[in-house]
Amino acid sequence: MIFRSSISPRFAGSALTVVALLWVTAAPVGALERSKDWIVLENCRLIVNPANDGDSFHASSGEKEYLFRLYMVDAPETDARTPARLIEQAKYFQITVPQAIEVGEAAKEFTREKLSEPFTVFTRMWDAMGDSKIQRFYAFVQTKEGDLGEQLVRNGLARNYGFKGAPPGLKNSRLELEKLQQLEDEAKKDRIGAWGINAGRLNLRAQNSAPFSVFVAGEKARPRATRPANTFPRFSASPALTPSTAAASPAETKKSHAKEKPALGKIDINTATEKELTTVPGIGHVMAARIIAARPFHSSDDLKRVSGIGDKKYMLIRPYFQ
């Protein structure tokens, strides 16, 4: 069924623009060809999949499974399978490659958290390529807290980069690109996410963007708040962090992080989770994954056979294991 709808753009405070929206609840992927009109999938649910990351994920609408890639934003990779791309991403954020992977993991967790409740997808079923068994499509994704791509950029977990598309209600992508750039500048200024990883601020969060409104002909406006033009969320610490931590100097941050180190000789090399392993100074997500893949170990002394653990790193991390 096709509705003639007007959408109040979340991307700028421009006048309402009439666009055609094709409202789909559970049509087979094969039946959805590339469309000139926006296809709206409501009440979507995240599907847990190892391939999910910050900007690409599996989702269900009704009984159908889809794979979506966000328009106009790019979160770092979560592994080193595409080294050239990972190096380029690290260079953009001015961080190391291992740090870029850490940011990618943080972006993946951020997206998982934001999509833990039903969300809405706007797509034209344009092919986003990829190596998955099912076709991947570009999309804008709306959560209860706003546009997912904007939230990633505002929190320093993605960059203003990628396949461009005019969002619903706009004739071209210029205004959204400008907004994303301003959000990225805000994240840099606040030194959060990738922009603050060297100061221990990877997990600090900005306030969330407000959702945009959707008006469907013949129906009442959906009760979603709109954000005034050129107003952007200001920085605030996440609930897990106190205001003093959010404003702490790099030296103070390092001092507070030192308290989070595991007790010496307490970690079981064969049963520790990835999260537990990454609490050890010198072990990031990549090294933790290598350790897990190399199991079982006869003793913690076998850490030396893990790729990337030389004598210096071994001396650093060995005291934390049983």
Side-chain angles (χ1 to χ4, degrees), residues 135-321:
Q135 189 174 7
R136 187 169 66 162
F137 303 106
Y138 284 109
F140 290 103
V141 174
Q142 187 74 11
T143 74
K144 69 175 184 178
E145 296 174 338
D147 178 78
L148 178 59
E150 290 181 5
Q151 292 176 71
L152 284 163
V153 172
R154 179 61 184 90
N155 286 282
L157 300 175
R159 55 180 174 162
N160 178 10
Y161 178 94
F163 188 83
K164 299 177 179 61
L170 296 182
K171 293 183 179 180
N172 58 59
S173 60
R174 180 180 60 83
L175 289 175
E176 177 64 358
L177 287 171
E178 291 176 357
K179 173 168 283 190
L180 287 170
Q181 187 57 55
Q182 186 163 350
L183 292 172
E184 186 172 299
D185 291 342
E186 290 283 325
K188 287 182 184 179
K189 180 181 178 182
D190 292 334
R191 296 172 66 211
I192 56 177
W195 307 110
I197 190 171
N198 287 316
R201 300 167 69 89
L202 172 62
N203 294 315
L204 295 187
R205 296 288 175 259
Q207 293 176 356
N208 294 308
S209 305
F212 62 98
S213 296
V214 177
F215 299 93
V216 179
E219 296 182 8
K220 294 183 179 180
R222 298 179 183 279
R224 297 176 182 171
T226 56
R227 186 171 66 225
N230 300 319
T231 60
F232 295 92
R234 301 301 300 173
F235 170 80
S236 68
S238 66
L241 299 172
T242 64
S244 60
T245 302
S249 66
E252 292 171 334
T253 302
K254 289 180 180 179
K255 184 178 179 181
S256 65
H257 277 223
K259 297 178 181 178
E260 299 173 2
K261 292 179 182 178
L264 298 177
K266 292 295 184 181
I267 296 180
D268 187 326
I269 189 64
N270 284 315
T271 62
T273 64
E274 180 181 357
K275 183 176 181 180
E276 290 172 329
L277 290 171
T278 55
T279 63
V280 176
I283 296 182
H285 291 283
V286 174
M287 185 58 66
R290 290 177 181 173
I291 291 173
I292 291 173
R295 290 171 178 168
F297 296 93
H298 293 297
S299 74
S300 295
D301 292 331
D302 288 341
L303 281 166
K304 288 183 177 180
R305 63 182 172 85
V306 177
S307 175
I309 298 182
D311 291 338
K312 185 176 180 179
K313 184 176 286 292
Y314 173 77
M315 293 298 293
L316 173 66
I317 67 177
R318 180 61 183 86
Y320 294 94
F321 294 91

Side-chain angles (χ1 to χ4, degrees), residues 16-31:
L16 295 177
T17 304
V18 177
V19 295
L21 292 178
L22 178 61
W23 202 275
V24 178
T25 57
V29 173

